[in-house]
Amino acid sequence: MTAALAAPSSAVLAFERDFAAHRARARVTFVIVSLALVMATLLTADFSGFFRVTQVTLADGTRAERWVILAGIPKLGDYIAKTIPEIRWSTLVSDLGEWFWRWRIWADLLVETVLIAFMATVMGLAGGFVLSFPAARNLAPARWVLWLSRRYLEIARTVPEIVFALIFVFCFGVGPMAGVLAIAVHTAGSLGKLYSEVNENIDMRPLEGVKAAGGSWFDQIRYGAVPQILPNVISYTLLRFEINVRASSIIGYVGAGGLGQELRTAVALGEHTDLSALFVIIFATVMLIDWGSEKLRHRIIGLGRTL
Amino acid sequence: MEQHILSLSGLGRSFGSTRAVDRVTLDIPPGQFVGVIGRSGAGKSTLLRLINRLIDPTEGQIRFGGADVTALKGRALRNWRRDCAMIFQQFNLVERLDVLTNVLVGRLADHGFASSMLMRFSDAERALAIRALDRLDLAPQAMQRAGTLSGGQQQRVAIARALVQNPRIMLADEPIASLDPGNATRVMEALRTINREDGITVLVNLHTIDTARAYCDRIIAMRAGRVYFDGTARQLTDDVLRDIYGSEGLPAFDPSVTSTAIRPVVTA
């Protein structure tokens, strides 16, 4: 042992030399990448107007130059202040009643919002699941199949829901169906991508076992791949349902059903307290669904071992 | 059942510039228990995968009876894979499915799309599967998840899966390399029983010479992709073994194999 320490062999010396060189290279790379990132951040901030200066009127009536963010923050406060309703302890019930004065309509629209999200998630799950196998590098039966299904998923998830919604409202008319389709297409694109990445990380040996026993490509997927990815599929889908509830509460903005249409009316008519009421409703719903789906996800991941 | 000779002629497979299997010509009569030995990378696994058509040959031909196996496609190819069952070193079971379903995977070649996707198997198939498991003393574990079994048990599940394929040939790619000696013996005994009772040809890749000597009617040794030796256990002398495995840089060879012959290793 001591002899080895006293006289390192040539292999050890070679390693020390290579290691030092490797470390030096890594340090240079780190510095270059960090500088590039800082530059890129500053440039994009400048481009999007973060460093702009604007004129403000001070309390004594004089004009002065201020950085746009400092000048804007008070206005944000003003806007929020406008949306806060007047609620007094003595007249609590009637004040709350006044704040949520359209609660019958909002309750119906809330149910519609959640149903749109649910339906869109189910349809997106089906589409994404089917496409995730041909879109996985290790499972695709042919290169052109991989290419086609990947491009399809990319288009489906790159176009924002609101754009799909506009198109579908034009095609199928105003109403929740356009919203369901819009969110479903986007969901299929996102989930298909996520599932296909899960697919690319699976153990291929079970598939080989099925193939060697005379199983077709579909058999390999059904018996070899699906049992491996099922817990992840369920987990991602529930997560997506939460995201879709948020999406479906906006989509009504263009007439595709749900609470969004009320948001639009409130903004257009300057009904500031309605906005805050709607915000409270959406926030409470999303929180509830987050909580519920997280519970469910953990149960399923626990159960997953027997699936 | 008709008895056919499995015959390979000039069979080869290259990966880039390396010839993993190099012009192998062999005739394997029905019912033989054949061991394939050789160093890692000698082409043993590739040979078995070529026979099962998990990989395609770059040259040569495989024939079984009147059929040209190398030309099979689609349904016929799947039927061929069913007829020559394969067992793997890492078992290749679906760990998240139960043992019974894993065995029933051996029936998939005869299934249509719908029944396969729905995992619907007939009562007759289930009976076949549970009998195969019982033969390997695994009937009590039929409803367990395959991943919860020990390595030796998993390999026996894989053999049960191969059995329900009603194969004519059973290929085993280092079936005992990940098992302890007790389990290894049980697996080898199971293969021997299948070979003798069912008359199924067995072709098994092995790392341990003693196992090959104990179980195989015929031993084929491969070196650099070619068949270097083909004969009985008795003909497999220590001189032959030294050539197969090479002794360069090895301070000690397996004593039971090398007790007499290998010259002292000279190191630079």
Side-chain angles (χ1 to χ4, degrees), chain A residues 39 58 85 123 133 138 162 168-169 171 180 187 198 226 228 283 300:
Chain A
M39 286 302 292
L58 296 180
M123 287 170 68
F133 301 106
N138 52 338
I162 202 100
F168 290 139
V169 165
C171 301
V180 169
T187 302
V198 176
V226 172
Q228 290 190 60
F283 184 71
I300 285 164

Side-chain angles (χ1 to χ4, degrees), chain A residues 204-206 208-216 218-219 222-224 227-229 231 304-307, chain B residues 49 52 54 78 81-82 86 88 90 92-94 96-97 105 108-109 113 116-117 119 121 145 161 165:
Chain A
M204 290 300 283
R205 286 177 304 198
E208 195 184 32
V210 176
K211 187 180 183 183
S216 63
F218 291 102
D219 294 335
R222 176 69 185 91
Y223 291 81
Q228 290 190 60
I229 66 164
R305 272 175 247 123
T306 56
L307 278 174
Chain B
R49 277 155 196 271
N52 181 272
L54 276 178
R78 290 175 55 196
R81 290 198 182 121
R82 175 200 59 200
M86 185 122 179
F88 299 85
Q90 298 296 332
N92 292 18
L93 299 179
V94 186
R96 303 181 59 90
L97 290 180
V105 163
L108 286 177
F113 180 77
S116 160
M117 291 301 108
M119 292 193 172
F121 295 92
R145 241 170 36 97
R161 175 174 71 188
Q165 291 175 232

Side-chain angles (χ1 to χ4, degrees), chain B residues 167-232:
Chain B
R168 290 145 180 239
I169 302 169
M170 203 174 280
L171 307 169
D173 189 9
E174 300 192 2
I176 57 170
S178 327
L179 303 180
D180 64 68
N183 276 312
T185 308
R186 298 190 72 172
V187 165
M188 288 310 293
E189 288 294 336
L191 287 177
R192 172 185 267 170
T193 311
I194 289 160
N195 172 251
R196 292 196 177 157
E197 290 178 5
D198 307 22
I200 296 172
T201 313
V202 174
L203 199 62
V204 53
N205 282 352
L206 289 167
H207 257 320
T208 40
I209 312 297
D210 289 346
T211 316
R213 283 201 162 120
Y215 288 94
C216 303
D217 306 328
R218 174 181 175 188
I219 294 174
I220 292 167
M222 291 186 71
R223 186 172 172 174
R226 299 194 186 177
V227 172
Y228 188 78
F229 168 88
D230 184 354
T232 62

Side-chain angles (χ1 to χ4, degrees), chain A residues 36-118:
Chain A
L37 277 176
V38 168
M39 286 302 292
T41 311
L42 289 176
L43 276 173
T44 44
D46 184 41
F47 183 74
S48 26
F50 271 80
F51 303 130
R52 264 188 308 131
V53 183
T54 187
Q55 291 227 324
V56 291
T57 311
L58 296 180
D60 57 7
T62 54
R63 305 280 287 169
E65 305 257 295
R66 284 283 185 280
W67 182 31
V68 66
I69 289 182
L70 280 182
I73 282 174
K75 291 189 204 161
L76 180 68
D78 291 348
Y79 196 90
I80 291 173
K82 273 195 234 168
T83 66
I84 293 173
E86 254 185 76
I87 293 178
R88 265 179 262 279
W89 190 244
S90 52
T91 53
L92 183 68
V93 178
S94 66
D95 281 353
L96 280 178
E98 201 162 314
W99 192 20
F100 291 92
W101 65 287
R102 275 168 76 81
W103 69 272
R104 271 173 207 283
I105 295 164
W106 289 341
D108 282 352
L109 286 173
L110 179 66
V111 172
E112 189 174 290
T113 304
V114 176
L115 286 182
I116 290 172
F118 180 79

Side-chain angles (χ1 to χ4, degrees), chain B residues 35-48:
Chain B
V36 184
I37 60 170
R39 300 162 74 140
S40 302
K44 309 187 296 288
S45 280
T46 310
L47 182 70
L48 256 57

